[in-house]
Amino acid sequence: MVRFDLRFALCCCNAFLRSSSGDSADSQEEDFYRLLDIERDASEDDIKRAYKKRSLQMHPDKLAQRGQTVTAADQERFTRMKEAYETLSDPHKRETYDAIGEKGLKWLEEPFSIDPEELARNFATSSILDRSKIFAIFVAIAIGIFIQPILICLMADGILGPNASWFAVLTPLWTWDAFILFYHTRVIMMGPIHKPDNIPDEEWVDPLPMKRRYVSLARFLLVIVFEIFVALRLQNVIEWKWAVMFIPIYVWEATTLIKKVPIATMEIVTLEELETVIMGKPFAEFTQEEKEGIAKKYSVVPSHNSPEFAMAYKMKNRAKQDILRLFLRILFLVFVILQLDLGLDWSWWLVFIPVWLASFCVCFGSVRNFVMVQAVAAERDPEYFGGKRAENDNKATADGTGGDIESQANYGAMGDGNTPEEKSEPISPAEREALQAQIAMSGQQVMSSCCSQCFLLVIVCLIVAKLQNPEAYSAFWIIFPLLLIAGLVLCCLGCTIFCVSEIPEYDTADLGVAGYADTQQPPQGSATDPEAGNTEGGGASENMVYIPPAPPSNVLNANSATGAPDASAEPPTIAVNSGGSTANTDGPDTSSEVATAEAEEDAAAAVPPSQPVDQHVNEPPPQFQPTAETKDSKLAYDHQASSIHELD
């Protein structure tokens, strides 16, 4: 019988685990059985005998004894055969392997070994049936979430009739409670987690102790008791006061307060502070009782700049925020009980004041965290993120006193360490990127918190307006925003699931990418640096000099009366430096320019014949005297020459 987890994996993950391109689970199933040379219905004894037989045939030592040369392929084949035996000899692994194949087994045991590209490729080649199973799972989840609010709205509007029972209406809620209760009992029945062999006894801490499991089960039972009380009260089976009805919630909030107070009041200290200031002795001399007391009162971190300190600080702040929200919830419960039990004629908008305050606190906390992260980044790197030092520098520059007063005051100082304040060392690019990531994450948290709170306030406003005037509109308008978003999400998921297709892989040689650089010819009259070579894609490199083509003959023979330079005059000399730029030496020549030109000529002469060198690099561009009839040609030539100088 196939296990439930394998059935779920086959139902929803078959599109990701199997591919229609030949890499299916069936082909993988034959691999392990073929390696051991057994049938797929072989017994455990048959697997053991086959493994011993194949070990005698494939073991590297046995091959060496027979005079054969042991290669890496032989060792890899023996290792794979051993892996096949370990998988098939374990009934649990064998059942998983027979169901979803070798890759599915590895992905279930090591989820982080999943290759996203392979998953996407398998999903793109999957069948419509496998994709329909995935979409059906999302639809079932949406129905399971929204069926209970829909039934409550039908009951509130009186559509189900006066004889409808609240216990029947809350059937989906009882179903969810049954699943969650089964999970808690299953976790308790698992027993304590066994210590791994590679961890010493004194360092092992159970991540899920039994005390925490029992406390979680008790808290959930309190919620179930409150749900039963509410159903009985709505069904008019009991006539208790609402103050008595909320007793399980009081106890639940009290357990939350007991859990959060020690974390919120915990002091964060470094190990050095713990040894020198608090305890006065090394950590190795601490007794077990002292360690337990320290764990209850302090959070020990390596340093104040370590990630552990940041994590402990966030945990402490989160506990404080949870305590604040807890008090707002209790205040809201008090207002609701006074409104229901005492019959106070308060407006429901006033009763929900704690809810408005809670939303404001959430948004304010996110903005405050964002400001704090920006301040820390500005303190770490004032020049990049801005800060007090940068403002002081700008102010000093505006006053005319100089931008770096500290460096002027310390001019000539030898750095003996007696200065009251030293400059902070510049941070590395990696640290700067980490600060940028923290600022971006804080900004995203502000946006998500504000948007979620705004959406929540819309739902709460609809509830309050309905309570204030029950005949104003149908109760379905309260859940309409949720249904609208769920419908849009399902539509997007459906388009994504059914419209994804495999992208064909093209060979780069077919697209002309492989020989692109070879087929690109440089412009006419260009010269390339032999050492630098052509740039990628056939573009111009920084050592390339572009020589324009010769002008037309009618332009060269133009009349000199137009005011152009005389063609018989000596042309200017263009010197090419090592950076590829040109310098016009039309005038008195200098020794540096002559030396540069001679060095370029020597470098060009030293290049082997196999590397082509433009012979016109040191030759001047042709001069011309355009006439009135060739004015347009002259303008085009001047524009071309100016663009070449800009390129250089």
Side-chain angles (χ1 to χ4, degrees), residues 25 109 116 138 146 157 186 193 198 277 279 311-312 342 351 384 427 441 448 491 536 550 562:
E109 294 180 349
F138 285 108
F146 290 102
D157 291 340
R186 180 71 180 272
I193 300 177
N198 57 346
V277 179
M279 302 300 296
M311 186 179 301
L342 300 181
V351 174
Y384 188 82
I427 64 175
M441 186 180 300
S448 61
C491 291
E536 183 179 359
T562 58

Side-chain angles (χ1 to χ4, degrees), residues 183-189 191-193 204-221 252 255 259-260 263 266 295 315:
Y183 168 76
H184 281 286
T185 55
R186 180 71 180 272
V187 170
I188 293 176
M189 292 174 60
I193 300 177
W204 167 246
V205 177
D206 192 353
L208 193 62
M210 297 299 297
K211 180 181 178 180
R212 184 183 301 178
R213 304 181 194 182
Y214 285 115
V215 171
S216 299
L217 177 60
R219 285 165 55 88
F220 181 70
L221 290 177
W252 191 86
T255 56
K259 179 181 178 182
K260 296 296 181 180
I263 301 177
M266 184 177 295
M315 186 182 300

Side-chain angles (χ1 to χ4, degrees), residues 170 173-174 177 220 222-232:
L170 297 177
L173 181 61
W174 312 134
D177 291 342
F220 181 70
L222 289 174
V223 176
I224 294 180
V225 171
F226 173 73
E227 294 172 356
I228 295 174
F229 284 173
V230 172
L232 294 174

Side-chain angles (χ1 to χ4, degrees), residues 454-473:
C454 290
F455 182 77
L456 178 62
L457 288 178
V458 171
I459 304 296
V460 175
C461 288
L462 292 174
I463 295 175
V464 175
K466 180 67 174 177
L467 293 174
Q468 194 70 24
N469 187 6
E471 303 298 333
Y473 48 83

